[in-house]
């Protein structure tokens, strides 16, 4: 078993992918799409992957490592939002015709930024917490059930926070509620469909990395980032 205060190449690679998915999802959230009769944000394409990675990290390395990567994802998201605002404030070249589109994508309204970052933190930490607690309770069994349950809890919390803050007052309440429910369900279905891949990835990392952490006697305080 590796020293829990170190990080492996596998953890580093998953952490990078986690942050990239979050930044991409944040930008894609600016577009609302309709497929058949389903209305959702384009972030649905990539955002569930972050929860799958969250499940992998919590399962293999435990809640403390998941806490570290969640805060790192938050920091990267915040930095992209801040840099986007800085770029918008810079004067555009007279011949450039893409300013309107650029400003639309990167000029995230303050309420959207707050909604996105808050929902991400709450949903991600709930996902990792449920995954950790269920692993202890089951003795490491029933990974599929734990992954699906933790995702449903995390995604539901994410949707319940994001949509009212981001779009409250901008669309009918009935449409808002419909989007909240559909987003949580669709992202959970996404997890179920890709579950066979998730299971293989987790088993492979456990074998290669030699890590399978059970979170006994740890603090679930989300602010204790230094505790690895």
């Amino acid at each position: 078993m590796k020293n829990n205060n170190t990080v492996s190449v596998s953890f580093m690679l998953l952490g990078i992918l986690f942050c990239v998915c979050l930044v991409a999802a944040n930008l894609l959230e600016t577009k609302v799409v309709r497929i058949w009769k389903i209305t959702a944000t384009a972030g649905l394409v990539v955002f569930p992957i972050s929860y799958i990675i969250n499940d992998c990290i919590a399962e293999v390395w435990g809640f403390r490592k998941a806490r570290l990567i969640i805060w790192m994802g938050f920091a990267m998201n915040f930095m992209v939002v801040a840099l986007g605002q800085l770029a918008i404030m810079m004067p555009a070249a007279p011949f450039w015709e893409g300013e309107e589109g650029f400003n639309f994508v990167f000029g995230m309204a303050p309420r959207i930024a707050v909604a996105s970052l808050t929902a991400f933190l709450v949903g991600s930490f709930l996902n990792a917490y449920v995954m950790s607690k269920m692993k202890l309770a089951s003795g490491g069994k029933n990974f599929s059930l734990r992954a699906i349950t933790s995702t449903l809890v995390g995604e539901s919390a994410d949707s319940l926070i994001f949509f009212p803050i981001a779009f409250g007052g901008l669309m009918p309440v009935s449409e808002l509620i419909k989007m909240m429910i559909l987003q949580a369900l669709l992202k959970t279905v996404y997890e179920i469909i890709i579950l066979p891949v998730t299971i293989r990835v987790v088993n492979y990392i456990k074998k290669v990395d030699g890590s399978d952490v059970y979170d006994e006697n740890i603090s679930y305080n989300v602010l204790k980032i230094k505790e690895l």
Side-chain angles (χ1 to χ4, degrees):
M1 188 73 69
K2 292 179 182 292
N3 185 335
N4 203 43
N5 290 321
T6 64
V7 294
S8 65
V9 173
S10 300
F11 177 81
M12 182 186 70
L13 292 176
L14 279 181
I16 292 171
L17 181 59
F18 182 78
C19 292
V20 169
C21 287
L22 289 175
V23 171
N26 215 31
L27 296 176
L28 294 175
E29 288 288 317
T30 57
K31 181 173 182 177
V32 178
V33 300
R34 182 179 286 273
I35 302 175
W36 295 300
K37 293 184 179 181
I38 298 174
T39 302
T41 59
L44 181 64
V45 174
V46 66
F47 191 70
I49 298 176
S50 66
Y51 274 80
I52 294 170
I53 297 172
N54 193 335
D55 286 341
C56 291
I57 292 175
E59 171 69 16
V60 177
W61 295 286
F63 181 85
R64 288 177 292 191
K65 291 287 202 311
R67 176 172 54 201
L68 171 66
I69 213 65
I70 289 169
W71 278 115
M72 181 59 69
F74 175 86
M76 295 302 99
N77 249 331
F78 183 83
M79 186 169 70
V80 169
V81 171
L83 290 174
Q85 295 301 314
L86 178 62
I88 288 172
M89 288 188 291
M90 297 172 68
F95 57 83
W96 188 54
E97 299 178 355
E99 185 171 15
E100 184 178 346
F102 181 90
N103 291 351
F104 178 80
V105 173
F106 288 94
M108 187 178 295
R111 65 182 290 181
I112 299 290
V114 170
S116 178
L117 294 174
T118 304
F120 158 70
L121 280 180
V122 175
S124 295
F125 277 120
L126 277 176
N127 182 83
Y129 176 81
V130 171
M131 193 73 181
S132 172
K133 284 293 189 180
M134 288 185 71
K135 183 175 183 178
L136 283 175
S138 66
K141 299 178 181 178
N142 305 318
F143 172 77
S144 297
L145 177 61
R146 291 187 281 115
I148 293 169
T149 303
S150 62
T151 296
L152 182 59
V153 171
E155 294 286 11
S156 297
D158 186 284
S159 295
L160 285 171
I161 293 171
F162 176 76
F163 285 102
I165 297 176
F167 299 114
L170 301 177
M171 62 175 64
V173 175
S174 59
E175 193 67 29
L176 195 62
I177 293 174
K178 190 187 301 181
M179 284 182 69
M180 289 162 56
I181 295 172
L182 278 174
Q183 285 273 113
L185 290 178
L186 287 173
K187 289 174 181 176
T188 304
V189 169
Y190 193 126
E191 165 102 26
I192 294 172
I193 292 172
I194 205 170
L195 192 57
V197 177
T198 307
I199 292 172
R200 284 175 172 77
V201 170
V202 166
N203 289 337
Y204 176 78
I205 293 175
K206 283 183 178 180
K207 181 179 178 180
V208 172
D209 203 70
S211 182
D212 188 9
V213 173
Y214 286 77
D215 292 317
E216 298 175 331
N217 303 316
I218 71 162
S219 171
Y220 285 97
N221 185 336
V222 299
L223 298 179
K224 292 189 175 182
I225 307 173
K226 291 184 179 181
E227 287 188 6
L228 296 179

